[in-house]
């Protein structure tokens, strides 16, 4: 059975590969749409909607990576001194806010996804079941929360 | 107004003790909304704001331009750009300092991020300047200041974010930033000239005069120029939307990096995309928080109170823009670029519209102020980037070195405020009303 740190490393690696897949699709869709329109007079049907959903996935995938590395943007004015003086307290305070924010987002995306599934909501152009991307984002955000909570300074 | 002030002070206080900006803003603003409308409404608001921002088509330009910057960085064009810039200045005394400014401008044209520009140029320019006897202050100050060009010369991520908040055409904003960006380059070059009056320095290093290296350097500027022309020409020629231009630019930058042998394996590609996802997410987290904060301000009626206050004070458009600029300069001492834009612009936007302020011009003014914040103490992100790459240089020396450039930036800011056509002239040529 893998240790928690091994599991964490594997999750992070999986997110990095997912970022490659989603990013490449995002880039490919954009270029395909432009080339299709100008070279073949056939723009990609529903490109805008696909780009929107893929970008959401790319953002939430990145949220897991940046949370695992604890690389969110911070103001380093007096915090390094405070962290040296009260390491556990400061790590706790900072960690609570990050975890609370991520958990609330994951919870609300789950709620919205389940609601969309119950109502059978579909996207306007491609008629994709909206619950699929929303629940995927919720899962990625839950991973971000778990990766943050299991970080080395927690 | 006590409530919003307390909320803002709480966010500021939490950021100062190290709570991540996006989370401090999201949690505090969410709690403040809960106090007004109840916890259920606050949670729903957070969910809706996050979902709509993460899937916003106009914002898809952000990860694509960031990816373009990551590929350009990966292609290691910076050294060749630096060599090309040295050639442009020939054997002039202090050539390396001039070249740092010019190559930073060149790198900015294909990057869009100030920190990325400073982080790239410091690795190329600092060792060369040290080797040729340039003082600590001049070398570090030039690099930190040169980095600020990253967010004025298009493409610019802060201008994209401003455009999405103020609902302004991103193409016109890019065009508006071009002339002030060039004025800024000229002002920085002039600052180097003035600084050199007091510094004895040798002429151009001989190594750059070698024909093979010079030829390679000249060729290196071409891909950057081609990318810049393709992206901006595509937007202004109405061939691409900004998102499409960013996609084409990222594709082109990836092709350049691949052709230069910097993207050989799948892992190299993975590193580029995961780095882009990480930067995008950290940026979007701030946008999530700021968006909830903006909704809280709307609920508590702050923008309308500001409109009333401006009407009572009888401030004209220029005075109002000056007042906002002063507030942004103060905020810039603590917050980084995106935080200032997202916290400040929604508060003043209704008052700016009511006062008939040209929002394209205001966008350039606010980005210039944000640039100033990148090099002024106590939190100057570009200064920290230089410090991180030159740990043996005292932070105080870098801040002192960057001071003349901050003065030059302030002068350009005043020029743009006093003569709005510096920013609005080029958009006007494109038939803007």
């Amino acid at each position: 059975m893998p240790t928690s740190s091994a599991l964490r490393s594997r999750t992070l690696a999986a997110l990095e590969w997912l970022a490659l897949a989603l990013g490449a699709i995002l880039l490919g869709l954009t270029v395909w749409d432009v080339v299709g329109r100008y070279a073949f007079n056939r723009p990609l049907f529903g490109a805008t909607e696909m780009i929107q959903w893929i970008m959401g996935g790319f953002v939430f995938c990145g949220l897991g990576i940046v949370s695992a590395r604890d690389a969110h943007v911070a103001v380093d004015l007096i915090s390094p001194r405070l962290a040296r003086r009260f390491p556990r307290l400061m790590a706790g305070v900072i960690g609570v806010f990050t975890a609370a924010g991520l958990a609330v987002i994951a919870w609300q995306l789950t709620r919205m996804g389940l609601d969309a599934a119950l109502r059978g909501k579909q996207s306007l152009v491609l008629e994709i079941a909206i619950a699929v991307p929303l629940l995927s984002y919720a899962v990625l955000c839950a991973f971000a929360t778990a990766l943050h909570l299991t970080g080395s300074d927690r | 107004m006590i409530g919003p002030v307390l909320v803002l002070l709480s966010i500021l206080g939490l950021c100062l003790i190290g709570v991540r900006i996006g989370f401090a803003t999201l949690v505090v603003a969410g709690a403040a909304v809960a106090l007004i409308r109840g916890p259920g409404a606050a949670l729903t608001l957070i969910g809706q704001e996050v979902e709509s921002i993460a899937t916003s088509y106009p914002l898809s330009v952000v990860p694509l331009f960031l990816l373009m910057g990551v590929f350009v960085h990966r292609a290691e064009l910076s050294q060749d750009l630096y060599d090309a810039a040295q050639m442009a200045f020939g054997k002039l005394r202090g050539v390396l300092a001039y070249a740092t400014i010019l190559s930073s401008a060149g790198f900015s044209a294909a990057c869009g991020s100030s920190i990325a520009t400073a982080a790239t140029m410091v690795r190329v320019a600092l060792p060369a300047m040290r080797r040729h006897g340039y003082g600590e202050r001049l070398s570090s100050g030039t690099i930190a200041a040169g980095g600020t060009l990253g967010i004025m010369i298009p493409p610019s991520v802060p201008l994209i974010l401003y455009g999405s908040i103020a609902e302004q055409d991103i193409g016109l904003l890019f065009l508006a930033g071009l002339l002030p960006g060039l004025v800024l380059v000229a002002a920085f070059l002039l600052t180097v000239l003035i600084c050199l009056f007091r510094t004895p320095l040798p002429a151009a290093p001989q190594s750059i005069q070698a024909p093979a290296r010079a030829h390679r350097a000249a060729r290196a500027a071409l891909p950057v120029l081609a990318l810049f022309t393709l992206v901006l020409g595509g937007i202004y020629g109405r061939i691409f939307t900004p998102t499409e231009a960013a996609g084409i630019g990222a594709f082109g930058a990836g092709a350049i990096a691949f052709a230069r042998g910097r993207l050989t394996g799948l892992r190299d590609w993975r590193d580029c995309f995961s780095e882009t996802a990480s930067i995008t997410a950290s940026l979007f987290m701030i946008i999530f928080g700021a968006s909830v904060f903006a909704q809280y301000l709307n609920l508590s009626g702050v923008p309308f109170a500001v409109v009333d206050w401006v009407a009572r004070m009888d401030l004209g458009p220029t005075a109002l823009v000056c007042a906002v600029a002063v507030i942004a300069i103060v905020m810039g001492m603590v917050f980084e670029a995106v935080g200032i834009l997202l916290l400040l612009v929604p508060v003043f936007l209704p008052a700016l519209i009511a006062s008939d302020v040209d929002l394209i011009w205001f966008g350039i003014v606010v980005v210039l102020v944000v640039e100033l914040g990148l090099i002024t103490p106590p939190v100057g992100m570009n200064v920290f980037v230089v410090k991180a790459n030159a740990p043996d240089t005292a932070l105080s020396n870098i801040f002192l070195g960057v001071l003349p450039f901050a003065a030059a930036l302030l002068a350009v800011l005043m020029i743009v405020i006093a003569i709005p056509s510096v920013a609005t002239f080029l958009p006007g040529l494109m038939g803007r009303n």
Side-chain angles (χ1 to χ4, degrees):
Chain A
M1 191 161 162
T3 62
S4 65
S5 80
L7 203 60
R8 194 181 136 78
S9 305
R10 279 185 206 170
T11 311
L12 180 57
L15 286 176
E16 287 177 339
W17 286 110
L18 184 63
L20 167 64
L22 291 172
I25 294 170
L26 184 67
L27 185 59
L29 284 173
T30 317
V31 174
W32 184 2
D33 188 37
V34 174
V35 173
R37 191 169 66 228
Y38 287 108
F40 307 108
N41 203 21
R42 280 187 65 179
L44 187 62
F45 177 71
T48 305
E49 208 172 76
M50 280 191 270
I51 287 170
Q52 284 177 294
W53 295 121
I54 296 293
M55 187 184 75
F58 191 65
V59 169
F60 287 106
C61 178
L63 206 53
I65 299 169
V66 75
S67 300
R69 295 175 184 159
D70 196 18
H72 287 286
V73 182
V75 176
D76 292 330
L77 187 57
I78 53 170
S79 53
R81 265 171 280 173
L82 284 173
R84 273 197 298 275
R85 194 148 181 201
F86 312 106
R88 289 178 70 90
L89 176 69
M90 294 321 296
V93 171
I94 295 165
V96 161
F97 273 87
T98 307
L102 288 170
V104 164
I105 294 171
W107 171 27
Q108 287 310 303
L109 287 172
T110 308
R111 203 183 55 75
M112 288 164 73
L114 292 176
D115 182 61
L118 282 173
R119 291 168 193 266
K121 280 189 192 171
Q122 291 184 326
S123 65
L124 287 173
V125 182
L126 296 169
E127 297 181 345
I128 298 168
I130 290 177
V132 176
L134 286 180
L135 290 173
S136 310
Y137 302 162
V139 170
L140 287 170
C141 203
F143 276 129
T145 316
L147 284 168
H148 170 73
L149 286 172
T150 54
S152 55
D153 59 340
R154 298 278 91 81
Chain B
M1 284 291 274
I2 294 172
V5 171
L6 278 177
V7 168
L8 190 61
L9 288 177
S10 306
I11 294 171
L12 196 63
L14 287 168
C15 289
L16 282 176
I17 64 166
V19 176
R20 306 325 184 209
I21 295 174
F23 294 99
T25 318
L26 184 99
V27 173
V28 173
V33 172
L35 284 175
I36 299 175
R37 291 288 166 98
L43 290 169
T44 304
L45 175 80
I46 290 173
Q48 285 172 348
E49 288 296 317
V50 167
E51 190 266 341
S52 73
I53 290 164
T55 59
S56 154
Y57 179 75
L59 285 179
S60 60
V61 70
V62 174
L64 292 169
F65 269 133
L66 288 173
L67 182 63
M68 180 174 149
V70 168
F71 280 145
V72 167
H73 180 67
R74 186 86 182 191
E76 292 180 13
L77 288 167
S78 44
Q79 179 65 57
D80 292 341
L81 270 176
Y82 193 54
D83 288 350
Q86 284 183 57
M87 282 174 52
F89 288 101
K91 292 184 177 178
L92 206 65
R93 197 170 69 91
V95 62
L96 295 178
Y98 293 115
T100 302
I101 297 294
L102 202 62
S103 50
S104 296
F107 193 77
S108 305
C111 175
S113 158
S114 173
I115 292 169
T117 306
T120 304
M121 291 315 301
V122 72
R123 284 177 218 148
V124 177
L126 196 64
M129 283 202 271
R130 280 186 168 176
R131 229 176 13 252
H132 290 92
Y134 284 60
E136 261 187 3
R137 288 183 189 173
L138 178 64
S139 51
S140 55
T142 311
I143 296 164
T148 64
L149 296 168
I151 59 170
M152 180 52 78
I153 294 177
S156 153
V157 172
L159 276 178
I160 295 165
L161 294 179
Y162 171 79
S164 74
I165 307 166
E167 294 179 356
Q168 295 299 302
D169 186 313
I170 290 169
L172 288 179
L173 279 168
F174 281 179
L175 203 57
L178 202 55
L179 208 50
L182 294 176
V183 172
L184 202 55
V185 172
F188 282 173
L189 291 175
L190 191 66
T191 308
V192 171
L193 180 73
I194 294 167
C195 289
L196 285 172
F197 279 134
R198 297 187 314 171
T199 319
L201 280 175
Q206 292 307 307
S207 55
I208 187 59
Q209 309 302 332
R213 198 172 168 199
H215 183 64
R216 198 192 67 209
R219 268 196 326 187
L222 288 178
V224 174
L225 199 65
L227 264 185
F228 186 71
T229 312
L230 183 70
V231 170
L232 294 190
I235 294 174
Y236 303 138
R238 307 284 179 207
I239 302 167
F240 311 135
T241 64
T243 297
E244 290 167 354
I248 295 291
F251 186 80
I256 292 170
F258 180 74
R260 289 171 67 96
R262 314 289 183 209
L263 288 169
T264 49
L266 208 53
R267 280 179 192 277
D268 295 332
W269 289 93
R270 183 201 63 181
D271 291 347
C272 288
F273 279 97
S274 68
E275 187 187 341
T276 307
S278 174
I279 304 168
T280 304
S282 60
L283 209 58
F284 270 62
M285 196 55 235
I286 299 175
I287 305 175
F288 295 158
S291 178
V292 175
F293 180 68
Q295 292 299 334
Y296 161 71
L297 291 178
N298 280 333
L299 284 173
S300 50
V302 170
F304 299 104
V306 172
V307 172
D308 283 348
W309 175 76
V310 170
R312 270 204 312 277
M313 297 292 286
D314 200 20
L315 290 175
T318 309
L320 176 60
V321 169
C322 287
V324 179
V326 170
I327 296 170
I329 288 173
V330 174
M331 283 180 78
M333 290 176 178
V334 178
F335 280 100
E336 50 67 69
V338 178
I340 301 170
L341 279 175
L342 296 173
L343 293 177
L344 196 69
V345 175
V347 175
F348 284 95
L349 199 58
L352 291 161
I353 293 168
S355 300
D356 279 335
V357 170
D358 183 330
L359 291 180
I360 295 280
W361 168 58
F362 177 72
I364 301 306
V365 169
V366 86
V367 168
L368 276 169
V369 173
V370 161
E371 280 186 295
L372 195 59
L374 290 168
I375 49 172
T376 46
V379 181
M381 286 305 288
N382 280 16
V383 172
F384 293 162
V385 168
V386 175
K387 170 72 182 166
N389 285 277
D392 52 331
T393 306
L395 197 63
S396 55
N397 256 349
I398 309 177
F399 272 122
L400 283 171
V402 92
L403 208 60
F405 295 94
L409 217 164
L410 202 59
V412 173
L413 174 66
M414 286 195 274
I415 289 171
V416 173
I417 291 177
I419 313 166
S421 57
V422 175
T424 57
F425 173 69
L426 286 179
L429 285 184
M430 290 295 290
R432 175 180 176 250
N433 295 323

